[in-house]
Amino acid sequence: MPNATTSPAPPAAGNTSPNPPKVPRGKRLVGEKATAFHAYVVSLYRREPHPMSIRAICEETGRSYGNIHTILKNAKVDMRPRGYQRPTRREEPRDGE
């Protein structure tokens, strides 16, 4: 029987990326763990149909905004514009035209 210190169970079939544990504040990631974490962050930011914001990724992973932003920039991810983007309004035909 696995104890609480072993790695988490494999992700369910519908989940495309496992949830890595929160990294303790100030702890540096190196090597394969860093590569896996960077790929995870990029997948969350690009996730379809509901991509996560940088701030939401910060809450999910326990890392700072600057750290997540740097990871995305180094991965050459196309950044979304700042703020809430209202849906575009479709043009409706006007009377008399």
Side-chain angles (χ1 to χ4, degrees):
M1 173 161 116
N3 60 18
T5 60
T6 61
S7 63
N15 191 358
T16 58
S17 58
N19 289 340
K22 287 193 176 189
V23 180
R25 187 178 186 123
K27 177 154 177 151
R28 184 172 285 216
L29 290 173
V30 293
E32 292 179 12
K33 288 184 179 182
T35 304
F37 182 76
H38 293 183
Y40 176 72
V41 167
V42 170
S43 71
L44 290 178
Y45 190 75
R46 290 181 173 167
R47 182 173 67 179
E48 291 295 332
H50 303 291
M52 290 180 77
S53 68
I54 293 176
R55 293 201 188 277
I57 296 171
C58 294
E59 290 178 17
E60 174 83 16
T61 61
R63 303 303 277 188
S64 70
Y65 183 95
N67 181 253
I68 300 301
H69 188 267
T70 301
I71 289 170
L72 295 172
K73 283 290 191 184
N74 290 342
K76 296 182 172 48
V77 173
D78 289 332
M79 304 298 279
R80 295 189 296 268
R82 291 176 50 170
Y84 174 74
Q85 304 299 312
R86 286 190 281 173
T88 58
R89 197 167 100 190
R90 289 190 284 175
E91 291 292 322
E92 297 181 16
R94 296 180 183 175
D95 292 335
E97 287 186 21

